[in-house]
Amino acid sequence: MPEIARRPENRYGNRPTMKDVAARAGVGLKTVSRVVNGEPGVTADTERRVQEAIEALGFRRNDSARVLRKGRTASIGLVLEDLADPFYGPLSRAVEEVARAHGALLFNGSSAEDPDREQELALALCARRVDGLVIIPAGGDHRYLEPEIRAGVATVFVDRPAGGIDADVVLSDNHGGARAGVAHLVAHGHRRIGFIGDMPRIHTAAERLRGYRTAMEDAGIPVEPSWTSLGATVPERVRRAAEEMLSGPAPVTAIFAGNNRVTVTVVRVLAELGRPVALVGFDDFELADLLRPGITVVAQDSGRLGRTAADRLFRRLDGALVAPERVELPTRLITRGSGELPPAG
Amino acid sequence: MPEIARRPENRYGNRPTMKDVAARAGVGLKTVSRVVNGEPGVTADTERRVQEAIEALGFRRNDSARVLRKGRTASIGLVLEDLADPFYGPLSRAVEEVARAHGALLFNGSSAEDPDREQELALALCARRVDGLVIIPAGGDHRYLEPEIRAGVATVFVDRPAGGIDADVVLSDNHGGARAGVAHLVAHGHRRIGFIGDMPRIHTAAERLRGYRTAMEDAGIPVEPSWTSLGATVPERVRRAAEEMLSGPAPVTAIFAGNNRVTVTVVRVLAELGRPVALVGFDDFELADLLRPGITVVAQDSGRLGRTAADRLFRRLDGALVAPERVELPTRLITRGSGELPPAG
DNA sequence: TAGAGCCTGGACAACGTTGTCACGGGCGGG
DNA sequence: CCCGCCCGTGACAACGTTGTCCAGGCTCTA
């Protein structure tokens, strides 16, 4: 009966370990570890022998084992809504850069705006023992993270606040931004101003709606129910909402769009309409300046959101034991033409 | 002398382990493992006791240790050029979805078009023992991955081919796409056609240039050196290149733009010019249809690139021992107006 | 030249999990 | 009624690394 190979054939495809390197170099295990980690206490000659063995075998340290031993994984997790959404690209990249500066790798996952999936992802990342989490909440209840945070997972929420727990949050000034955007329309003579936004269970959507209402109240304009559309932002629905507001005996003369997907659809509707209607959108987007007219927007800096959040996270990992904080970043109104159109009719 | 705590204070923030759960439930370690993993052979009563202990302690399995024992990490790495680039968003998301379907998590890193950084990232991921890698090459030499691939890391290259090693590659038909785009301009009567692209050391850029040359040759048009601009795609340079081609006694009447960043800059230049110049761009981009004229593009499906690559990767992980293959996905010409302008002058 | 101290290197345990195996008790069949 | 089998359970080793500690040989000084 032939001897069965002891090493299971396909663990890491039978990778060499420090033990193998040590055997080949004729030194002890720990000496290899020292060389690999650049620790002092190894003579030049020994080091050379070890290096040669490493080269020859194609050894690469198994960071999984290292992690197990050291207790830190040097990795963080980012849970966002959709990697494919241009808004999250710069945010994601910014988080990555900060992580890189701290020698950490980044796990990335999309919740697809589904609270269950967000939880599943976040907990899977915790099981991997990421050192920290940056979460763009999809759900409104994050108590499931309580044991994790207590156990030391640094956690920062971005773009939307956490629900039910006390944690760091980095937000844009959605209320103030929307208020300023709508006030801008008012300043240009509009009174019948429509608002098309996302489901109000999403915090940013609710805040922007609130900003709209505040601005209208500031201007002493009572808001007609038909001027407001909340709900899914699939193009067909936005299109229908816009068309309804723009028809009838007293149509709106300006629209405030609650996010970039809405803005784009509204631009399409207006292009077909022929009649000039003022438009201000929340979120900047590429090429907004190239359209005719250029689209006036309330811009938030998604890269800065990510950088701020990641900075906070690593400060916490570096031992800062400050109380959880809520940071609100300012928005910026960029005028390009569409928001400065006078009311028609 | 007080007893010093045995448990180092801040490993995983002193998380409970299976051992702790076992002690609390009054069962053996392995029984906890069985419950956690849903293995059979545990009575309902025992299971209940274990579950209670898990809840009470807030236990979560340490997948790092699990990985060490099992040899598979259920994670894959994606090395791309820039997460913030809209082209990579859908690609990244597609890879993530496939990974998710296979129960794997996704590491994500940007090489910033720097070969050293690509290598550093890829090797860091290998050290974490990712099961597989999806790489969008920044460099032209990937022999550094040879030992890793031999050791069993499934590797698929996307968007650009690997250098120096035999591995799976998923590409767009850059040559054919560019050729078709330029031929489209020729068909609309243009003969003096400019090409503005990226550095030819980037494979896609070189292929698209080749496609341009093939199309010109097909049409029997000799290419003037001044019609071609290759190099960094920072806006200022593209702008200068475009302005040069468009001036002089025999300016180009059409421009083929080698990627979406170039296209956008060219659109800006043309908008300022006032004179109609035909334009076809490689890569589609959002809102291309809303510009006046709409921008005609050669579109590639970045999501499909990612999906195809990830599918291949997991097929390999599932044991398929097929030879490395080169897959080329078709591109699609989308006419929107800018490519159908007749030559001016 | 002898003793003290330093410097290099290795043996060993531990990290938290899973695979292997053995043990004991209950039950069914002969 | 007894034997054997199966089922539930737990002890133990192993995964690959790092931290601790000790041994042995060297150098430097008195």
Side-chain angles (χ1 to χ4, degrees), chain B residues 23-59:
Chain B
R24 173 155 185 142
V27 301
L29 184 54
K30 179 65 200 192
T31 300
V32 177
S33 172
R34 273 193 267 263
V35 171
V36 169
N37 294 296
E39 287 170 27
V42 181
T43 53
D45 181 61
T46 310
E47 173 160 0
R48 193 184 41 72
R49 286 214 320 282
V50 172
Q51 285 292 7
E52 278 173 14
I54 288 176
E55 297 277 318
L57 295 174
F59 167 79

Side-chain angles (χ1 to χ4, degrees), chain A:
Chain A
M1 197 155 81
E3 177 78 351
I4 293 173
R6 283 292 149 58
R7 257 338 218 330
E9 202 41 70
N10 232 3
R11 286 187 60 80
Y12 300 110
N14 239 337
R15 274 179 172 260
T17 70
M18 285 193 177
K19 202 166 155 190
D20 302 323
V21 175
R24 173 155 186 141
V27 300
L29 184 54
K30 179 64 199 191
T31 301
V32 177
S33 172
R34 273 193 270 262
V35 171
V36 169
N37 294 296
E39 287 171 26
V42 182
T43 54
D45 182 61
T46 309
E47 172 160 1
R48 193 185 41 74
R49 287 215 320 280
V50 172
Q51 286 293 6
E52 278 172 15
I54 288 176
E55 298 279 318
L57 295 173
F59 167 80
R60 182 166 315 284
R61 183 179 63 195
N62 184 335
D63 277 1
S64 280
R66 174 164 221 252
V67 151
L68 177 60
R69 187 65 230 262
K70 303 205 77 139
R72 279 274 177 113
T73 57
S75 59
I76 67 173
L78 171 61
V79 180
L80 38 70
E81 194 239 307
D82 182 0
L83 259 176
D85 184 327
F87 177 72
Y88 295 111
L91 193 155
S92 191
R93 178 69 196 273
V95 171
E96 187 205 334
E97 288 300 328
V98 177
R100 183 179 143 81
H102 286 81
L105 287 174
L106 183 63
F107 274 112
N108 226 307
S110 302
S111 68
E113 207 66 272
D114 173 351
D116 291 338
R117 195 163 151 178
E118 173 209 303
Q119 173 168 351
E120 179 193 324
L121 253 171
L123 290 181
L125 291 167
C126 289
R128 297 299 174 94
R129 295 297 187 267
V130 292
D131 298 333
L133 279 175
V134 175
I135 299 184
I136 293 161
D141 184 357
H142 296 90
R143 276 172 299 179
Y144 69 89
L145 278 174
E146 242 171 24
E148 312 299 329
I149 292 175
R150 218 174 323 119
V153 180
T155 307
V156 179
F157 293 83
V158 190
D159 192 43
R160 310 169 188 172
I165 62 173
D166 190 29
D168 282 315
V169 184
V170 180
L171 305 170
S172 277
D173 179 11
N174 290 289
H175 174 261
R179 183 180 182 177
V182 174
H184 182 75
L185 290 167
V186 170
H188 281 80
H190 295 272
R191 295 189 58 82
R192 296 200 305 277
I193 303 173
F195 177 93
I196 305 181
D198 217 327
M199 299 163 285
R201 77 166 172 80
I202 299 175
H203 174 263
T204 51
E207 281 294 291
R208 293 170 195 175
L209 173 61
R210 202 165 64 78
Y212 162 76
R213 291 194 171 139
T214 306
M216 294 299 267
E217 206 178 307
D218 290 346
I221 307 172
V223 174
E224 296 286 327
S226 66
W227 296 350
T228 305
S229 161
L230 312 171
T233 55
V234 289
E236 307 82 63
R237 260 188 89 157
V238 172
R239 172 171 289 273
R240 193 149 19 99
E243 286 166 352
E244 272 171 27
M245 294 181 188
L246 290 165
S247 61
V252 299
T253 62
I255 292 179
F256 187 85
N259 68 38
N260 51 8
R261 289 187 301 270
V262 172
T263 307
V264 169
T265 305
V266 172
V267 168
R268 289 212 162 82
V269 173
L270 296 186
E272 293 162 15
L273 189 67
R275 168 160 47 107
V277 172
L279 171 65
V280 173
F282 207 111
D283 285 347
D284 199 5
F285 54 94
E286 220 183 358
L287 306 193
D289 62 317
L290 276 182
L291 300 176
R292 290 291 163 260
I295 307 300
T296 294
V297 298
V298 176
Q300 47 180 338
D301 186 341
S302 73
R304 188 169 160 205
L305 275 176
R307 209 170 321 117
T308 308
D311 278 340
R312 268 205 92 66
L313 189 146
F314 280 101
R315 205 163 326 137
R316 212 164 262 284
L317 282 179
D318 290 345
L321 289 173
V322 291
E325 209 180 47
R326 180 194 183 97
V327 178
E328 208 159 81
L329 299 181
T331 57
R332 195 162 53 94
L333 184 76
I334 304 178
T335 59
R336 296 197 178 108
S338 77
E340 294 73 49
L341 295 174

Side-chain angles (χ1 to χ4, degrees), chain B residues 9-286:
Chain B
E9 202 41 70
N10 231 4
R11 285 188 61 83
Y12 300 112
N14 239 334
R15 276 180 171 259
T17 72
M18 284 192 176
K19 201 167 155 188
D20 301 324
V21 174
R24 173 155 185 142
V27 301
L29 184 54
K30 179 65 200 192
T31 300
V32 177
S33 172
R34 273 193 267 263
V35 171
V36 169
N37 294 296
E39 287 170 27
V42 181
T43 53
D45 181 61
T46 310
E47 173 160 0
R48 193 184 41 72
R49 286 214 320 282
V50 172
Q51 285 292 7
E52 278 173 14
I54 288 176
E55 297 277 318
L57 295 174
F59 167 79
R60 182 166 317 281
R61 182 179 64 194
N62 184 336
D63 277 0
S64 280
R66 174 165 221 252
V67 152
L68 177 61
R69 188 65 230 261
K70 302 205 78 142
R72 279 276 177 112
T73 58
S75 58
I76 67 174
L78 171 61
V79 180
L80 38 70
E81 195 239 309
D82 182 0
L83 260 177
D85 184 326
F87 176 73
Y88 296 111
L91 193 157
S92 190
R93 178 68 197 275
V95 172
E96 187 205 335
E97 288 300 329
V98 176
R100 185 179 142 81
H102 286 80
L105 288 175
L106 183 64
F107 275 111
N108 225 306
S110 302
S111 69
E113 207 67 90
D114 173 352
D116 292 339
R117 194 163 154 178
E118 174 210 302
Q119 174 169 351
E120 177 192 326
L121 252 170
L123 290 182
L125 292 167
C126 289
R128 298 300 174 93
R129 294 296 187 269
V130 291
D131 298 333
L133 280 175
V134 175
I135 298 186
I136 293 162
D141 184 358
H142 297 88
R143 278 171 298 177
Y144 69 88
L145 278 173
E146 242 170 26
E148 312 300 328
I149 292 175
R150 217 172 325 117
V153 180
T155 306
V156 180
F157 293 84
V158 190
D159 192 41
R160 310 168 189 173
I165 61 173
D166 189 30
D168 283 314
V169 183
V170 180
L171 305 169
S172 277
D173 180 10
N174 291 288
H175 174 261
R179 182 181 184 175
V182 173
H184 183 73
L185 289 168
V186 170
H188 281 79
H190 296 272
R191 294 188 59 84
R192 297 200 303 277
I193 302 174
F195 177 92
I196 304 180
D198 217 325
M199 300 163 285
R201 75 167 174 80
I202 299 175
H203 175 264
T204 51
E207 281 295 290
R208 291 170 197 175
L209 172 61
R210 202 165 63 80
Y212 162 75
R213 292 195 170 137
T214 306
M216 295 298 267
E217 205 177 309
D218 290 346
I221 307 172
V223 175
E224 295 287 327
S226 65
W227 296 351
T228 305
S229 162
L230 311 170
T233 55
V234 290
E236 306 84 60
R237 261 189 89 155
V238 171
R239 172 173 291 274
R240 195 150 16 99
E243 285 167 353
E244 273 170 28
M245 294 181 189
L246 291 165
S247 61
V252 300
T253 62
I255 292 179
F256 187 84
N259 67 40
N260 51 8
R261 289 186 302 270
V262 172
T263 308
V264 169
T265 305
V266 172
V267 168
R268 289 211 162 84
V269 173
L270 296 185
E272 293 162 13
L273 190 67
R275 169 157 48 104
V277 172
L279 172 66
V280 173
F282 207 111
D283 285 346
D284 199 5
F285 54 93
E286 219 183 359

